């Protein structure tokens, strides 16, 4: 399958640079995955599409201020580090700039309290760094680090919490699960009041978010691993929902990937508590085992995420919906508008 099949024209001015003042005032395009019918709403209207007995599943990961700026100890040259995966024992997988000049053995100084030595190269051009510091690492990171906004966002973010969901709990992500940015506590209360259950999983967003596809055939792409966790409490709720005939609605592609990972492990049987690393890649032809509907943002052309939503709704339906979104001037990507595929 040719990657170019998932390309589309996107004017640069439709890439949202800042979040809206009110989270749930973003626009919402709804797409019926069976017949391709679309409608246009504001995000608060999502309650009209949720039914008593459904379960809404959210990713409660929390973004860390993972972008660090320092200098090479030997030359004083500027260096930038983006933390991606905690490997334990103060070692992290990271992206570095300038990549060609930061090699094994180089020491990067971020402050008097924080240094790192490059231990090795990792796959896809990353590095493994070993940190030394005085104090508590997370406190130093909160002080020195910046939020790791995607490269297509050029404007400065004044409030860090606007790149967090209101229910973010477990620190570890290098990017936000952006479909969740549209929710407020008040909207979640309204959803619960309709008889919709709300459940949580955790997937820490990592390297794959920052890597464009570099292959021509979809099947040749290799996804990067990300850590996920699904509790027995959530598994029980999802099992009860399915048994009662309710829908499981994933908020975001990260939630979708977690649910489908566990669903594959359980081979169509009852879901069970699970944690570990997933590299699941969903594209048309994939048979969903858990997820019935999906709330998501609008994604990059030729990205694995466009392929995931195409697996759920069909490529033709997705590309037509995206064409409408462009014509109607929807806002795209992390701080953009939302889509509900049902």
């Amino acid at each position: 399958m040719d990657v170019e099949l998932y390309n589309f024209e996107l004017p640069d001015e439709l890439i949202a640079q800042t979040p809206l003042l009110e989270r749930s005032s973003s626009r919402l395009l709804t797409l019926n995955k069976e017949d391709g019918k679309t409608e246009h709403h504001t995000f608060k209207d999502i309650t009209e599409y949720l039914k008593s007995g459904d379960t809404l599943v959210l990713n409660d990961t929390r973004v860390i201020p993972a972008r660090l700026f320092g200098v090479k100890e030997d030359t004083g040259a500027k260096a930038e580090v983006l933390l991606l995966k905690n490997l334990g024992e103060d070692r992290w997988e990271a992206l570095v700039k300038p990549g060609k000049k930061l090699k094994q053995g180089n020491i990067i100084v971020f402050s008097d309290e924080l240094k790192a030595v490059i231990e090795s190269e990792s796959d896809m051009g990353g590095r493994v760094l070993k940190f030394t510091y005085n104090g508590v690492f997370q406190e130093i990171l909160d002080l020195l680090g910046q939020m790791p906004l995607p490269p297509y966002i050029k404007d400065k973010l004044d409030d860090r919490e606007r790149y967090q969901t209101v229910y973010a709990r477990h620190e570890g992500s290098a990017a936000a699960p952006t479909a969740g940015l549209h929710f407020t506590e008040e909207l979640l209360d309204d959803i619960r009041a309709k008889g919709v259950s709300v459940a949580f999983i955790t997937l820490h967003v990592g390297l794959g978010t920052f890597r464009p596809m570099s292959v021509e055939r979809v099947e040749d792409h290799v996804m990067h691993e990300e850590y996920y966790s699904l509790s027995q409490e959530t598994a029980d709720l999802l099992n009860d929902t399915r048994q009662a005939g309710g829908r499981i609605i994933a908020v975001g592609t990260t939630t979708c990937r977690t649910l489908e990972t566990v669903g594959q492990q359980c081979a169509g049987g009852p879901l069970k508590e699970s944690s570990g690393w997933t590299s699941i890649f969903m594209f048309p032809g994939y048979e969903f085992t858990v997820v019935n509907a999906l709330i998501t943002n609008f994604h990059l052309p030729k990205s694995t995420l466009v392929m995931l939503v195409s697996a759920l709704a069909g490529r033709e339906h997705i590309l037509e919906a995206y064409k409408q979104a462009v014509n109607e001037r929807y806002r795209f990507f992390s701080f953009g508008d939302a889509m509900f595929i049902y």
Side-chain angles (χ1 to χ4, degrees):
M1 194 184 306
D2 193 341
V3 171
E4 278 295 328
L5 291 172
Y6 299 89
N7 200 6
F8 58 91
E9 292 294 326
L10 179 66
D12 288 344
E13 64 267 21
L14 295 187
I15 300 174
Q17 294 296 313
T18 55
L20 298 177
L21 290 176
E22 171 62 35
R23 288 177 183 260
S24 57
S25 65
S26 52
R27 297 169 74 186
L28 176 70
L29 188 153
T30 60
L31 171 64
N32 185 312
K33 65 179 187 283
E34 303 302 329
D35 61 17
K37 179 184 176 182
T38 58
E39 294 182 355
H40 304 279
H41 303 268
T42 60
F43 193 78
K44 291 177 183 177
D45 297 333
I46 190 68
T47 55
E48 298 177 14
Y49 286 84
L50 305 180
K51 306 170 187 175
S52 178
D54 290 341
T55 293
L56 193 72
V57 189
L58 307 162
N59 182 4
D60 63 6
T61 187
R62 187 170 178 83
V63 185
I64 61 174
R67 195 179 299 278
L68 291 166
F69 296 90
V71 296
K72 288 179 67 177
E73 188 176 57
D74 55 350
T75 67
K78 291 181 179 179
E80 180 181 337
V81 169
L82 176 61
L83 303 179
L84 294 171
K85 184 192 295 185
N86 187 348
L87 303 176
E89 298 180 343
D90 298 320
R91 297 166 67 251
W92 284 78
E93 182 178 23
L95 296 178
V96 298
K97 289 184 181 178
K100 293 182 179 179
K101 295 186 177 180
L102 293 170
K103 302 183 182 299
Q104 184 175 350
N106 288 162
I107 295 174
I108 304 172
V109 179
F110 304 100
S111 71
D112 291 340
E113 290 79 29
L114 183 65
K115 293 183 180 181
V117 60
I118 299 176
E119 286 191 340
S120 62
E121 291 193 15
S122 59
D123 58 348
M124 292 192 276
R127 302 287 190 276
V128 175
L129 276 61
K130 170 78 172 181
F131 284 88
T132 56
Y133 49 91
N134 297 317
V136 179
F137 182 77
Q138 192 58 53
E139 292 178 358
I140 297 171
L141 193 61
D142 287 339
L143 185 64
L144 298 179
Q146 295 185 11
M147 293 304 279
L149 296 179
Y152 47 76
I153 294 178
K154 309 300 181 185
D155 292 4
K156 188 182 180 205
L157 183 65
D158 293 327
D159 180 4
R160 282 186 179 185
E161 287 303 305
R162 290 312 307 274
Y163 196 55
Q164 306 277 14
T165 62
V166 297
Y167 46 82
R169 297 290 181 269
H170 302 293
E171 292 187 329
S173 271
T178 53
L181 296 178
H182 305 284
F183 289 89
T184 63
E185 292 290 1
E186 293 78 14
L187 182 56
L188 288 171
D189 287 342
D190 290 343
I191 289 169
R192 292 185 179 100
K194 286 200 68 170
V196 177
S197 299
V198 176
F200 296 93
I201 57 87
T202 304
L203 182 138
H204 293 320
V205 190
L207 184 62
T209 297
F210 297 91
R211 290 295 187 189
M213 295 187 74
S214 58
V215 297
E216 295 181 359
R217 293 176 68 250
V218 172
E219 296 86 348
D220 294 337
H221 180 70
V222 178
M223 292 285 285
H224 198 77
E225 288 187 331
E226 294 169 311
Y227 180 80
Y228 76 91
S229 176
L230 184 146
S231 69
Q232 189 60 50
E233 179 184 9
T234 293
D236 290 341
L237 176 56
L238 297 178
N239 290 331
D240 291 344
T241 300
R242 293 205 290 188
Q243 191 168 6
R247 295 178 300 172
I248 295 175
I249 301 167
V251 176
T253 56
T254 60
T255 300
C256 182
R257 294 179 68 238
T258 299
L259 294 175
E260 290 299 315
T261 295
V262 178
Q264 286 191 354
Q265 290 174 353
C266 297
L271 301 178
K272 298 178 182 178
E273 178 180 5
S274 177
S275 63
W277 298 90
T278 180
S279 58
I280 190 172
F281 180 22
M282 289 174 271
F283 52 87
Y286 176 82
E287 295 289 336
F288 285 79
T289 63
V290 178
V291 173
N292 304 117
L294 174 67
I295 297 170
T296 185
N297 280 18
F298 293 93
H299 305 293
L300 284 161
K302 299 193 293 185
S303 66
T304 61
L305 303 182
V306 168
M307 294 167 195
L308 185 155
V309 296
S310 296
L312 184 62
R315 185 180 71 91
E316 293 80 8
H317 288 167
I318 289 295
L319 291 181
E320 176 57 32
Y322 270 51
K323 183 178 179 181
Q324 289 185 33
V326 169
N327 291 339
E328 295 292 330
R329 313 297 288 176
Y330 274 68
R331 302 164 78 243
F332 274 65
F333 306 160
S334 297
F335 288 139
D337 295 314
M339 185 178 195
F340 180 47
I341 303 170
Y342 66 99

